[in-house]
Amino acid sequence: MPSAPLLLSQAFNGLALGTLLALVASGLTIILGTLGVLNFAHGALFMLGAYAMYVVTAQTGSFFLGILVGAAFMLVVGVVLERGLIRLFYGRPHEDQILVTFGAGIVIVEGVRALFGANTQSVPTPSWGQGIVQLGFLFYPTYRLELIGIVAALLFVLYLILYRTSIGLVVRAGIEDARMVGILGINVRRSFLLVFALGVVAAGVSGMLYAPIVSVEPDMGSSFLVEAFVVIVIGGLGSYPGAVVGGLIAGEIISITSAFNSAYSEVMLYAVMALLLVLRPQGLFGSEGRV
Amino acid sequence: MAARVRGTLWPELAVVAVLLVAPFVLLPLGFSYDLLQRILDWGLIGLGFDLLFGATGLLSFGQAAFYGTGGFVAAYLLVGHVIANVWLALVLGTIAAGLVGLVVGWLAVRRIGIYFTMITLAFGEMAYFLENSPLSHYTGGENGLPGVPVPSLGGMPISAGLPMYWLLAVLFFAGFVLARRILHSPFGAVLRAIKGNTTRTGMTGHSVPAYKLAVFVIAALYAGLAGGLLGVLQSYMPPDAFALDTSGQLVVQTVIGGVGTLVGPLVGATLWLWLRDNLQQVPHVGALWKLILGLIFVLLVVVLKRGIAGEIRWAFTRRRLAAAEAGVPEETGDAAVMPPTAPALPLSAPLVVARTDAPALRAIGVSKFYGGLHAVENVSFEVRTGSIHAVIGPNGAGKSTLFKMLKDEIAPTAGEVLLFGRRITGLGPTRTAQLGIGKSNQLNQLFLDLTVTENLRIAALARARGTFRADLWRAADSLPAVERQVAAAMETVGLIHRADVPVHVLPYGEKRRLEIGIALATGPNVLLLDEPLAGMSPAERVATRALVREIGRTRTLLIVEHDMDAIFELAERITVLYEGRLLADGTPDEIQGNQAVQDAYLGGLHEHEPA
Amino acid sequence: MNKRIGEAALDRRQMLQLGLGAAGGLMLPGLGLIPARAAEAPLGTWPAGVSGSTVFVGVTSPLTGAYSADGKDEVLGYELAFAEINAGGANAQAWGLKGKGVLGKQIRHAIADSELKPNVAVQAQTQFIQRDKAMMITGCVSSAEAVALEELAQREHVLNMVGAAGANAATGHDCQRYAFRSQPSAYMACKALAPVVAQHYGRGKKVAYLVPDYNYGHSVFGSFSAFTKPYGWTTAAKEVVPLSATDYSSALLNIANSGADIFVNIEFAAQAVNSTKQAAQFGVFKKMQMIVPNISSFQAQETGAALMGGVFGTMDWNWKLEDRFPLAKSFVAAFQAKNHYTPNWGANIGYLQTYIWALGVERAGTFYPPAVIKALEASKTNPFDSTLGKVWYRAEDHQLVRPVPVVLGNAPGAMKTKDDWFNIVDLVPGEQAISPPTFLGCKLGSYT
């Protein structure tokens, strides 16, 4: 049995892990909820964001510039992807949409490998994130601590966009009833573009923020994609609160399990998902009617 | 008849021919026996996957879980010296995969579409983790299990190379024959119906979750056998059988080869593995092979919607479809095709003989609230057995909501519905269909890619077979009673001349009639028709009124309609709804004389009269 | 359990090549080191693979997916060796080869991406064997690939010069007669490393381990903890993390709180870099010294000298061995000229294994696989001169008996050149580090 301070530390760490998972999953879930497209390229876009961060910080050394330029770049990527590819698939079955994003994911990963090579790249921790903080019950990396705040702020911004703007209305209407959004007419297509781009930027920014923590390499996104899927299944499809709460739950499961035996952290995550599917198949925040 | 549904034996003969010549034609093209065996192995797992995805429309990204399970159970039994007989190990591995499929499927088929895909993917990953860590004592972890022996036949081992190729070819062919039988069985007809229109399939009385679970397990069994053979063909069971990439590659190959063609996964695997193998050997390509193949895949998904085998089949069927379409008039309203008199073939009697002393349907205080919106509030009325009963009211009066509660498509917030005195509330649309409630919908709910005959057959099969039956081997049209019912329903709605036409090419009026025909073909005791005349031309309306009167002779009929002339001509009794409440209930004469009804209609009709 | 299968596979191969009737005629009495005569029955791809003027070598290595950087490095090592041997220049002569090519035959080769998947590696190599009549198969960056290809080699009777693979199993209970592994086993690496770190850090240290959850990880953990036990080192924490983990925060929290003095990081390649960076963020290095029993090729470049400075570990080979061994010097020079960077140990494995195979063939005087195997097995009496000095293959388990470089990472200020990541603090003789012959459970299969 792990000690109480260790359990507390892991619970805290679960919060940090969870907020990041929530951010990754939220980009996936708004695209899914509004456009009905399950974006299999989400992991690749996460990775692309990290590379954007790597390129900018390697050139300028500025983390903030990295976020700004990186987000702008991801916005362009999102627009190009939507206009060039995803748009062709709105009228086609969900399965075709899944397949084309799956293929796009492969192309992005291998394209990055061709451009940057297979070696891992480093993004330095920004100067304000150096070091380690004494929190009383545990020592915790400064950057990860700050990240909790940054990600929480970003999640709040997303909340404002979704719940306080007209585009947010479209997104939420789409989650409630995709057909009703269709009735709204011509504006929908432009909203779809914005929503898709927003989701891509969310994926990219997650990658950028995570870049100083992990090694940046072409395959770094794949495990996040699967974890984001689990988060969405737990939280409920297309539900923004579901993505946030699901992300926090997933983070806690991984972390608390690690206090006992880290080898089982992933397995435990899937086990909880299976259990939830038995007890509440639509997910915590999902509505029964949605698929 | 059987020959028509099952088609010809050409596909089987073609597959045999290809399997026979493949080693001799493909070897000079740079395919080794090993590669051919692997292609057949992919083809075999693909057969099950195509039944799941191509036929039923369920996209699983977790087939690797069953492929790996079948493979590792068989390999462990052999390598660990638990059993010595390779055939038995393959069978046990296959069964184990089926059992895992049963558990995963039970969880996954509760959700549809994207959700289903995500859940299967997650369980696939979970299986990979389990193989690698907690079960590594049995599976060898990331090293897998080397040393899987080959099976023997009559004392002779089936060695690598040509003999192993023949083993896989024979098993693939057997799997192909079985898959085709399944596809053309009543069971398969329901699978295709689920893909075409899940809701309607359930409404006609088929248990959609049971069929989905069954086909999920069948796909898992195919995957399990293929997994077992993977270990056998290379004497080594690799852990990456469980990897997400395995599931992904299967999907990619199936899409490239052609979804819904059964041979698609085989064709796709041939092309994919060949390209993969040869692209790498092109100078300066090297690691770029995956980027190039990824681009090719995206392009194929965008351009070739049907995949290779699908496009080939399309080239053959397009002419037939064009001919069928040519026979369909642009305009609706060809009343001449409607039978002016009673159909020559009698509709088969309802399956359950009605107890005439009880009302056919009885609603007791049913209400449906959506939040603050009271769509239907405390409505009670009876439908007499054998009568034609109409429900009328202005738009928004709650008629369609009431209808849905009568068939238990939606659960009432309060109250209950009795069918011949038996409570049906809470049973769901599938059980109520089995109990004899047929329903045609306000918005067409058809199986657009199937023919008129197939549409009606889906409906007729329901009460003949119950909510679920795994009759995989018989032909879909081999049940005489069902075929009689199909023919009668088709004649009744006047679509005999369209029997083999895919429904999506029919003009609107004929689709409306088919909508009624499907309800009729379930052989209902009580038939609910939700605005049957909507969108029809005047000539069609006349014909359909005759049709409704005809149907009313043999069964209880409940109809929602805006066409007042039709209602007052047909109905023996009329229930009027207004703003969710019961306004009046009586004979046509009583309703006509009712002041409240007149007020409601005078007040409402000008605003609500449908176009 | 593999041995029984080796025999089963023999039946299959016989049937394929000879038909059932000839099964009895395959025994090769008294072959010894005598060059095979034309009268030998066909075996594997022999003699079909040597009927022309060329001989085919199949190479598989991960070029996409995890470890693809290491795979690329390894492939460049193979390509350099093939080019040198085919040209028959000064380097090939320095290794002891005669003329151009191997026994006068030019090496043809093909490279396939294994994606780090054993199944894909086996698929590609089987294609090379069946279609191209490969006489030798080689390459991998994981023990899983190695074990799978060893099995394939035994079944198909084609030599396998194992690529990068450190788990004990490759020359332990999954060893094969047809497979030869040059990299030190986990056992050798840890046995070489333990006395050096024990002397440096002293007795009675508490150790926290980060163990990737696969055979290689458990293999290294087992060996390292066993070899440091005599020095009173104890396990304070053993954090087993799932495959392909990217975030180590929860495991590192446990390690940071374990009260250990030493942090042994067993992760490999990108995961090693990742976990090291995150360990620094969690302040692990404020309390502990890191030891990496098997340092991956690009670990220092990718992690940076700031974190790798002061880290003890072993590696298969390091370019600084050019100061000790002429063949290492010529290798580094040739590799740099061709590929414009300093070779890592992955490249050395490809390069060294190709040469040793060629030398084995020339010593046997034939490509006939049992003869080549016996020539390699007999190398103890006549060691090969190599990039690692004098080395020889042990007949009992086909582990290369070779010195194990124990290295210490240079701090940023101590680096004299841009590749000066490590100093070789000890070169532990192979005989000293290697396990007792049957300790790891190796039983080699049949020659035929």
Side-chain angles (χ1 to χ4, degrees):
Chain A
M1 188 67 199
S3 65
L6 184 60
L7 271 178
L8 199 62
S9 306
Q10 290 291 10
F12 183 80
N13 187 53
L15 181 71
L17 268 181
T19 47
L20 261 167
L21 279 176
L23 188 61
V24 180
S26 62
L28 196 60
T29 211
I30 58 173
I31 292 177
L32 185 54
T34 314
L35 283 65
V37 174
L38 177 58
N39 186 10
F40 260 71
H42 203 72
L45 294 164
F46 174 92
M47 176 275 295
L48 202 58
Y51 267 90
M53 188 59 146
Y54 158 69
V55 170
V56 177
T57 50
Q59 296 298 318
T60 67
S62 164
F63 188 81
F64 280 112
L65 211 56
I67 294 280
L68 282 181
V69 176
F73 170 71
M74 294 311 291
L75 192 69
V76 173
V77 169
V79 169
V80 169
L81 257 185
E82 202 274 348
R83 287 284 115 135
L85 203 60
I86 308 298
R87 197 165 54 144
L88 307 173
F89 284 80
Y90 289 144
R92 292 176 57 178
H94 286 318
E95 290 72 26
D96 284 10
Q97 300 165 348
I98 289 174
L99 295 172
V100 78
T101 55
F102 181 71
I106 295 176
V107 171
I108 293 170
V109 170
E110 297 309 325
V112 165
R113 198 191 313 279
L115 273 176
F116 292 90
N119 284 100
T120 69
Q121 311 291 351
S122 258
V123 171
T125 309
S127 53
W128 40 266
Q130 304 278 356
I132 189 159
V133 180
Q134 159 71 283
L135 288 174
F137 59 97
L138 86 164
F139 290 95
Y140 208 70
T142 313
Y143 180 70
R144 280 189 191 250
L145 197 64
E146 288 160 347
L147 213 49
I148 298 175
I150 294 170
V151 174
L154 284 173
L155 287 172
F156 183 66
V157 169
L158 255 176
Y159 163 81
L160 289 181
I161 293 174
L162 291 174
Y163 288 82
R164 294 283 183 273
T165 65
S166 57
I167 181 174
L169 196 68
V170 175
V171 175
R172 284 184 296 127
I175 292 167
E176 293 303 319
D177 184 353
R179 226 179 6 191
M180 205 175 87
V181 176
I183 294 164
L184 296 176
I186 192 83
N187 272 334
V188 170
R189 280 297 168 89
R190 192 162 6 112
S191 304
F192 276 15
L193 172 63
L194 286 170
V195 170
F196 189 83
L198 190 66
V200 170
V201 171
V205 169
S206 318
M208 293 170 212
L209 292 174
Y210 221 38
I213 294 179
V214 297
S215 314
V216 177
E217 43 103 12
D219 302 295
M220 68 187 285
S222 57
S223 62
F224 284 94
L225 178 70
V226 180
E227 278 175 4
F229 280 2
V230 176
V231 166
I232 288 183
V233 172
I234 290 176
L237 178 132
S239 160
Y240 178 70
V244 174
V245 175
L248 292 175
I249 291 175
E252 291 297 345
I253 293 169
I254 292 173
S255 229
I256 301 273
T257 311
S258 297
F260 297 87
N261 184 347
S262 43
Y264 285 83
S265 53
E266 294 280 344
V267 173
M268 189 56 82
L269 186 59
Y270 294 115
V272 169
M273 181 192 76
L275 188 70
L276 193 83
L277 283 171
V278 176
L279 300 176
R280 195 176 157 83
Q282 70 272 32
L284 293 176
F285 289 79
S287 54
E288 188 63 69
R290 287 284 296 192
V291 291
Chain B
M1 276 302 260
R4 197 168 61 78
V5 155
R6 193 158 288 146
T8 62
L9 287 175
W10 280 115
E12 278 83 357
L13 291 173
V15 167
V16 168
V18 168
L19 292 177
L20 283 175
V21 303
F24 307 103
V25 174
L26 292 179
L27 242 44
L29 291 174
F31 287 85
S32 63
Y33 285 127
D34 179 77
L35 203 59
L36 293 177
Q37 290 157 18
R38 287 170 193 275
I39 288 167
L40 285 172
D41 198 56
W42 280 113
L44 189 60
I45 172 175
L47 287 170
F49 179 67
D50 207 33
L51 286 174
L52 184 66
F53 178 40
T56 323
L58 296 171
L59 175 55
S60 160
F61 253 86
Q63 292 310 95
F66 318 117
Y67 190 57
T69 302
F72 272 99
V73 168
Y76 173 75
L77 292 175
L78 292 165
V79 175
H81 301 293
V82 180
I83 55 176
N85 187 318
V86 179
W87 302 111
L88 182 62
L90 286 173
V91 169
L92 292 175
T94 306
I95 292 171
L99 290 175
V100 174
L102 194 64
V103 175
V104 173
W106 184 69
L107 292 165
V109 302
R110 295 159 164 243
R111 308 302 286 169
I112 59 173
I114 291 168
Y115 226 128
F116 174 85
T117 303
M118 291 165 75
I119 291 166
T120 52
L121 185 146
F123 279 113
E125 282 292 272
M126 181 179 178
Y128 195 22
F129 274 113
L130 289 175
E131 185 274 332
N132 258 299
S133 301
L135 300 178
S136 59
H137 177 67
Y138 305 98
T139 61
E142 91 281 10
N143 281 356
L145 287 175
V148 183
V150 295
S152 327
L153 205 61
M156 256 180 63
I158 298 173
S159 58
L162 205 51
M164 185 61 78
Y165 172 80
W166 292 129
L167 170 66
L168 275 141
V170 166
L171 287 174
F172 175 81
F173 181 68
F176 177 74
V177 171
L178 175 64
R180 245 174 78 78
R181 291 293 292 232
I182 291 174
L183 211 50
H184 294 112
S185 69
F187 179 89
V190 178
L191 298 186
R192 292 166 69 205
I194 290 172
K195 183 182 187 184
N197 190 329
T198 308
T199 314
R200 190 62 186 267
T201 310
M203 272 182 68
T204 55
H206 301 287
S207 172
V208 171
Y211 281 96
K212 280 185 177 173
L213 183 55
V215 74
F216 196 83
V217 170
I218 289 171
L221 290 168
Y222 270 98
L225 177 61
L229 288 168
L230 177 69
V232 164
L233 77 87
Q234 60 184 353
S235 296
Y236 165 63
M237 189 60 215
D240 32 320
F242 270 115
L244 175 58
D245 281 4
T246 303
S247 302
Q249 194 179 341
L250 176 67
V251 174
V252 167
Q253 287 170 177
T254 304
V255 170
I256 290 176
V259 173
T261 61
L262 289 185
V263 294
L266 185 75
V267 174
T270 311
L271 185 71
W272 191 256
L273 295 188
W274 186 80
L275 275 177
R276 193 198 129 80
D277 192 43
N278 286 283
L279 213 48
Q280 293 189 45
Q281 305 312 326
V282 176
H284 309 301
V285 169
L288 294 178
W289 71 271
K290 214 172 186 177
L291 178 62
I292 296 170
L293 275 189
L295 284 168
I296 290 174
F297 174 66
V298 170
L299 205 67
L300 279 176
V301 175
V302 173
V303 181
L304 274 191
K305 293 179 186 172
R306 295 175 191 85
I308 296 165
E311 292 290 346
I312 292 171
R313 189 175 66 176
W314 174 240
F316 281 101
T317 53
R318 188 167 40 190
R319 261 176 294 137
R320 217 182 325 147
L321 190 66
E325 270 181 82
V328 175
E330 295 274 322
E331 299 291 317
T332 62
D334 188 358
V337 301
M338 287 293 285
T341 53
L345 274 170
L347 278 170
S348 51
L351 286 178
V352 177
V353 178
R355 281 173 47 209
T356 45
D357 53 333
L361 266 181
R362 188 162 166 220
I364 306 169
V366 295
S367 301
K368 184 67 189 177
F369 303 156
Y370 292 104
L373 177 71
H374 293 197
V376 174
E377 193 171 352
N378 196 25
V379 171
S380 303
F381 72 106
E382 286 181 10
V383 180
R384 276 185 217 148
T385 302
S387 69
I388 298 182
H389 190 123
V391 176
I392 62 170
N395 266 5
K399 304 184 298 291
S400 283
T401 307
L402 177 67
F403 251 44
K404 285 187 175 146
M405 289 190 286
L406 292 179
K407 194 176 156 48
D408 208 38
E409 282 177 74
I410 56 176
T413 312
E416 60 177 2
V417 178
L418 308 182
L419 174 71
F420 297 117
R422 175 183 173 177
R423 182 187 152 101
I424 56 165
T425 297
L427 295 181
T430 301
R431 293 290 306 144
T432 55
Q434 287 290 341
L435 290 171
I437 303 181
K439 179 166 178 268
S440 81
N441 303 287
Q442 186 183 359
L443 300 168
N444 286 342
Q445 294 263 15
L446 306 174
F447 309 105
L448 290 177
D449 289 333
L450 305 184
T451 65
V452 169
T453 308
E454 288 168 332
N455 267 262
L456 294 172
R457 190 178 289 131
I458 300 299
L461 283 169
R463 291 187 78 189
R465 293 168 64 251
T467 51
F468 175 78
R469 183 178 293 180
D471 43 4
L472 308 177
W473 199 250
R474 73 162 53 235
D477 59 357
S478 65
L479 297 156
V482 168
E483 293 309 301
R484 277 199 298 278
Q485 189 133 317
V486 169
M490 198 169 349
E491 180 143 0
T492 307
V493 295
L495 288 172
I496 286 187
H497 60 298
R498 301 276 188 249
D500 296 322
V501 176
V503 167
H504 62 86
V505 303
L506 293 182
Y508 182 74
E510 293 187 350
K511 282 184 183 153
R512 278 313 284 163
R513 269 145 56 192
L514 181 61
E515 175 69 34
I516 299 169
I518 290 175
L520 205 52
T522 59
N525 307 64
V526 177
L527 186 59
L528 312 182
L529 301 176
D530 195 352
E531 299 197 30
L533 303 179
M536 284 189 177
S537 70
E540 282 176 330
R541 281 166 180 256
V542 172
T544 307
R545 274 151 76 164
L547 170 66
V548 170
R549 199 180 309 113
E550 184 56 40
I551 297 167
R553 286 189 190 157
T554 50
R555 34 217 88 194
T556 308
L557 221 154
L558 186 60
I559 183 168
V560 162
E561 192 39 72
H562 281 292
D563 185 333
M564 290 304 146
D565 291 343
I567 291 299
F568 283 95
E569 178 201 321
L570 293 168
E572 295 153 49
R573 214 173 161 82
I574 297 174
T575 300
V576 186
L577 289 189
Y578 184 67
E579 292 180 346
R581 293 197 190 85
L582 185 80
L583 191 65
D585 186 41
T587 64
D589 289 343
E590 287 166 8
I591 296 299
Q592 240 161 353
N594 186 315
Q595 189 58 43
V597 173
Q598 285 190 355
D599 290 348
Y601 265 82
L602 285 175
L605 272 187
H606 296 299
E607 288 171 45
H608 297 299
E609 180 65 40
Chain C
M1 57 188 168
N2 311 314
K3 304 296 105 40
R4 187 176 57 80
I5 305 315
E7 284 147 29
L10 167 68
D11 292 340
R12 300 164 53 182
R13 179 50 61 185
Q14 287 170 338
M15 280 188 42
L16 191 66
Q17 301 281 348
L18 307 167
L20 274 176
L26 254 179
M27 298 298 112
L28 298 158
L31 189 74
L33 281 180
I34 307 154
R37 295 165 297 273
E40 303 292 357
L43 183 66
T45 48
W46 188 89
V50 289
S51 55
S53 60
T54 60
V55 58
F56 188 93
V57 174
V59 181
T60 48
S61 206
L63 301 175
T64 60
Y67 302 0
S68 48
D70 304 76
K72 181 88 196 296
D73 189 50
E74 184 179 272
V75 160
L76 293 175
Y78 284 114
E79 287 183 324
L80 178 62
F82 296 146
E84 287 184 0
I85 293 171
N86 280 344
N91 280 2
Q93 283 168 21
W95 277 82
L97 290 171
K98 302 175 197 76
K100 293 182 176 180
V102 185
L103 282 184
K105 292 187 194 295
Q106 290 286 298
I107 300 172
R108 281 185 304 125
H109 76 278
I111 295 158
D113 181 8
S114 72
E115 303 175 66
L116 202 70
K117 293 180 192 144
N119 188 47
V120 176
V122 170
Q123 175 180 329
Q125 292 288 19
T126 310
Q127 178 85 346
F128 290 147
I129 292 169
Q130 294 189 355
R131 183 189 60 194
D132 303 306
K133 308 290 172 228
M135 288 307 298
M136 192 267 273
I137 59 173
T138 187
C140 67
V141 187
S142 73
S143 302
E145 292 169 283
V147 168
L149 289 181
E150 289 187 20
E151 164 81 14
L152 176 72
Q154 185 71 31
R155 179 161 65 99
E156 298 289 334
H157 296 105
V158 175
L159 271 170
N160 173 23
M161 303 303 286
V162 178
N168 288 336
T171 47
H173 72 77
D174 288 326
C175 71
Q176 300 286 357
R177 180 69 67 188
Y178 274 76
F180 293 84
R181 188 253 298 263
S182 68
Q183 192 183 332
S185 61
Y187 181 103
M188 289 173 77
C190 295
K191 193 174 180 189
L193 181 58
V196 178
V197 293
Q199 194 193 2
H200 187 267
Y201 292 118
R203 297 181 63 88
K205 294 293 169 190
K206 284 177 284 180
V207 188
Y209 293 88
L210 186 68
V211 184
D213 194 7
Y214 50 95
N215 289 337
Y216 161 77
H218 295 294
S219 190
V220 173
F221 168 77
S223 296
F224 191 87
S225 53
F227 285 119
T228 50
K229 202 176 172 193
Y231 303 99
W233 287 26
T234 53
T235 302
K238 179 192 177 189
E239 288 298 312
V240 179
V241 288
L243 284 161
S244 68
T246 44
D247 195 311
Y248 295 88
S249 53
S250 26
L252 289 168
L253 265 180
N254 292 345
I255 286 173
N257 289 311
S258 65
D261 316 299
I262 304 284
F263 168 49
V264 174
N265 189 350
I266 305 176
E267 287 281 2
F268 191 75
Q271 276 108 326
V273 180
N274 223 338
S275 52
T276 303
K277 282 171 69 174
Q278 292 179 34
Q281 290 159 2
F282 274 89
V284 169
F285 300 140
K286 289 193 166 71
K287 307 168 189 165
M288 303 171 209
Q289 300 294 326
M290 185 164 76
I291 294 173
V292 181
N294 179 19
I295 299 172
S296 356
S297 277
F298 294 93
Q299 192 164 344
Q301 285 97 314
E302 294 174 6
T303 315
L307 291 179
M308 291 303 287
V311 170
F312 277 100
T314 76
M315 51 176 57
D316 175 82
W317 178 88
N318 182 276
W319 65 272
K320 281 188 165 178
L321 288 172
E322 69 177 13
D323 299 338
R324 309 187 189 205
F325 308 121
L327 285 176
K329 194 174 181 68
S330 59
F331 167 52
V332 172
F335 191 95
Q336 279 174 329
K338 195 172 175 206
N339 302 307
H340 312 294
Y341 77 95
T342 306
N344 293 294
W345 59 259
N348 177 63
I349 287 180
Y351 186 77
L352 169 109
Q353 285 281 65
T354 306
Y355 266 111
I356 290 187
W357 166 74
L359 288 165
V361 170
E362 295 214 336
R363 285 184 184 185
T366 171
F367 284 94
Y368 183 63
V372 180
I373 292 170
K374 289 184 179 179
L376 293 174
E377 287 173 345
S379 55
K380 183 174 184 179
T381 52
N382 183 13
F384 303 105
D385 199 12
S386 78
T387 49
L388 285 156
K390 296 282 183 197
V391 298
W392 48 277
Y393 267 112
R394 186 158 73 174
E396 290 88 346
D397 62 358
H398 292 187
Q399 170 68 49
L400 191 70
V401 183
R402 37 73 50 84
V404 181
V406 176
V407 299
L408 175 63
N410 274 330
M415 287 174 65
K416 296 187 190 77
T417 67
K418 72 174 178 55
D419 293 316
D420 189 16
W421 302 101
F422 295 101
N423 281 330
I424 298 168
V425 293
D426 200 356
L427 198 59
V428 181
E431 292 88 338
Q432 191 178 317
I434 199 163
S435 59
T438 54
F439 181 79
L440 299 173
C442 172
K443 290 195 198 88
L444 293 168
S446 155
Y447 285 97
T448 55

